[in-house]
Amino acid sequence: MSVKASLLSELLLQKRAWVPGGRNGEWMHRELYELIKGEILEGSLSGGSRLPPSRVLGQELGVSRNTVLYAFDQLLAEGYVTATVGRGTFVADVPLRPARHPSLDPAAPFGELPASSSPTLSARGTQLLARRGASDRQWGAFAAGVPDVSLFPRKVWLRLLNRHWRRPSSETLSYSTVGGHPALRRALAEHLHLARSVRCEPEQIVITSGIHQAIDVVSRLLGDPGDRAWMEDPGYWGTRSVLASNGIEVVPVPVDCHGMAPSEQQFHGPAPRFIFTTPSHQYPLGMSMSVPRRLMLIDYAQRTGCWIVEDDYDSEFRFEGRPLASLQGLDSHERVIYMGTFSKTLFPGLRTGYMVLPKSIAVCATQALSELYREGQLVQQAALADFMAEGHYAAHIRRVRHLYAKRYALLRQAITRHLGPNWPVASQDAGLHLVLLLPDELDDVRISNEVRAQQILARPLSHYYQSPEKARRGLLLGYACVPEDLIDQGVQVIARAIGTAHSPR
Ligand SMILES: Cc1ncc(COP(=O)(O)O)c(C=O)c1O
């Protein structure tokens, strides 16, 4: 049987529209090869059928004959097709791919599972990407949670890096097997003790490539697929993504003005394996967890044997008064795992974070990290240790805190100017972003899309909820990386979009 060129090209064009990044532009040989292979493996092109001549298929697809020839050659080399001179190219008999999973639709709205089928992704991979939260824009007004990376003291950093690159020991150029550079763990233990009242020995600290990796290691080391984790709702999409892709069921827990607030039913039901929380500065709404609530959670963890994971991502930035001490510092039962990051205090691309573990599991976490990731970066860690020990870290934080406070004040003023003095805002004079709350009848996703078309990033609050029916409407506005002269203009764009929004979701 011969496959008609027009039918095949229609099928391929349809499939192409579902492939991420493959919707527009010129066909790549590789792309065509992947799509035809997918059709063969899924049985749409059955064994023995004859593929259209390369010239004809090329014309139907609007690509050069060479593109088709390359794809056919690759299929031939891998045994998906056979070719006989003078007769043509035939689909080989190959075992079909078993299960079909929902596909990745790059255009599907956040949090929705797409409807069609993907030739390549696992069910877990499909789920992960369908609920993806990472923005493709990480800079500019009003990117949330992004520090002003242009302020990082590059000269000092370069000097310290040079110092350690000049004569690196063999150890620093090898894999790290002890949970990170000892000098960095010492510097962190001291800093965390002074700044966050964290109680730990350097040996309890494990350096990671950020909080994401720390969550990954902890959820694999201490949790099994099917275990449950309580997580604040709204909460950080990244935590949800890492947990879910490790098979941990994420149970949404509401928040109130005292922070995470498990319901009576949750308290009296079966205990989870983990409680993930952001007590210093709830993400994204900003409240601090009250002391009674902290003590209650610690007591609950001790009684039930679950782990509290404290995500202390941005507590260095409080503009009024001192931040509340860490939850870890209140825990005398070894139930809290504390996590922190340099992504907010220095720059996200540094990809360096840390976790502070109870003594009983610190060595296991170090070993798990080695097993999974074979970590290194010891030269960079040595430079970072000096950066902290010589006072550059504290000085940098002081400097940017002052600047962020100024930008925060300007943002508040602009909101007052363009939306009125009583417009509700969720913020505690802290962190790198605030939440501009919207009335329930306004569609925050639509407003977010509208202002994005004008180069303003304002992520919709409703995306941060796991339970859509409970989602409040709002916009996350990061101010730390926004030059002062752009703040007012940006808010004006948002105010205009709010003004013209005629709600329905
Ligand atoms: C609440 C929260 N936790 C963790 C992270 C990520 O930390 P890291 O860059 O160290 O993986 C972020 C980043 O935005 C965050 O907002």
Side-chain angles (χ1 to χ4, degrees), residues 210-212 236 278 283 311 313 341 343-344 351:
I211 289 178
H212 273 236
Y236 178 50
T278 48
Y283 190 86
D311 178 349
Y313 63 105
T341 181
S343 291
K344 313 292 175 185
R351 295 319 293 137

Side-chain angles (χ1 to χ4, degrees), residues 142-147 283 343-344 348 432-433 477-480:
F142 293 100
V146 179
Y283 190 86
S343 291
K344 313 292 175 185
L432 307 179
H433 76 272
L477 305 183
Y479 41 81

Side-chain angles (χ1 to χ4, degrees), residues 325-380:
S326 65
L327 193 73
Q328 194 269 7
L330 291 175
D331 170 34
S332 42
H333 308 295
E334 300 226 314
R335 300 314 308 168
V336 178
I337 298 166
Y338 174 94
M339 294 180 180
T341 181
F342 291 100
S343 291
K344 313 292 175 185
T345 48
L346 298 180
F347 59 98
L350 189 63
R351 295 319 293 137
T352 306
Y354 43 89
M355 51 183 162
V356 181
L357 299 129
K359 286 190 175 128
S360 54
I361 53 169
V363 172
C364 300
T366 299
Q367 291 170 345
L369 194 68
S370 285
E371 289 303 313
L372 291 170
Y373 295 108
R374 279 316 232 165
E375 73 285 7
Q377 303 272 25
L378 290 173
V379 176
Q380 176 173 296

Side-chain angles (χ1 to χ4, degrees), residues 437-489:
L437 294 167
L438 296 175
D440 284 344
E441 66 276 13
L442 288 194
D443 182 345
D444 55 0
V445 177
R446 196 168 131 192
I447 296 175
S448 168
N449 287 339
E450 255 173 56
V451 299
R452 196 186 155 99
Q454 297 170 70
Q455 304 309 315
I456 298 293
L457 209 60
R459 306 204 79 197
L461 176 62
S462 57
H463 276 179
Y464 293 79
Y465 283 82
Q466 199 180 339
S467 328
E469 69 287 357
K470 301 210 173 113
R472 288 175 78 181
R473 309 281 179 259
L475 298 170
L476 267 71
L477 305 183
Y479 41 81
C481 69
V482 191
E484 282 98 71
D485 54 337
L486 294 184
I487 291 177
D488 190 79
Q489 214 178 312

Side-chain angles (χ1 to χ4, degrees), residues 189-346:
E190 197 179 321
H191 170 79
L192 292 175
H193 175 64
L194 290 175
R196 307 293 306 120
S197 306
V198 168
R199 294 185 296 182
C200 71
E201 305 295 330
E203 293 69 33
Q204 288 169 256
I205 297 180
V206 173
I207 310 295
T208 64
S209 68
I211 289 178
H212 273 236
Q213 192 185 54
I215 295 174
D216 186 36
V217 170
V218 159
S219 59
R220 293 193 206 205
L221 182 66
L222 304 174
D224 284 309
D227 280 348
R228 283 170 314 115
W230 285 0
M231 195 187 142
E232 292 158 353
D233 196 33
Y236 178 50
W237 55 265
T239 304
R240 241 191 324 262
S241 290
V242 177
L243 291 175
S245 66
N246 282 334
I248 308 285
E249 184 196 338
V250 179
V251 179
V253 174
V255 296
D256 63 18
C257 59
H258 300 292
M260 185 179 222
S263 65
E264 281 295 307
Q265 212 181 2
Q266 284 173 323
F267 256 127
H268 295 112
R273 184 73 175 145
F274 301 104
I275 300 176
F276 279 83
T277 179
T278 48
S280 301
H281 190 223
Q282 201 278 329
Y283 190 86
L285 291 175
M287 65 289 257
S288 314
M289 189 182 284
S290 64
V291 173
R293 191 66 62 77
R294 289 169 189 239
L295 295 173
M296 184 186 75
L297 277 187
I298 291 173
D299 176 61
Y300 177 84
Q302 194 225 345
R303 279 190 288 109
T304 60
C306 70
W307 298 102
I308 298 177
V309 180
E310 175 175 16
D311 178 349
D312 202 26
Y313 63 105
D314 77 350
S315 58
E316 309 278 357
F317 300 115
R318 179 161 289 272
F319 312 131
E320 292 287 333
R322 272 180 65 77
L324 279 178
S326 65
L327 193 73
Q328 194 269 7
L330 291 175
D331 170 34
S332 42
H333 308 295
E334 300 226 314
R335 300 314 308 168
V336 178
I337 298 166
Y338 174 94
M339 294 180 180
T341 181
F342 291 100
S343 291
K344 313 292 175 185
T345 48
L346 298 180

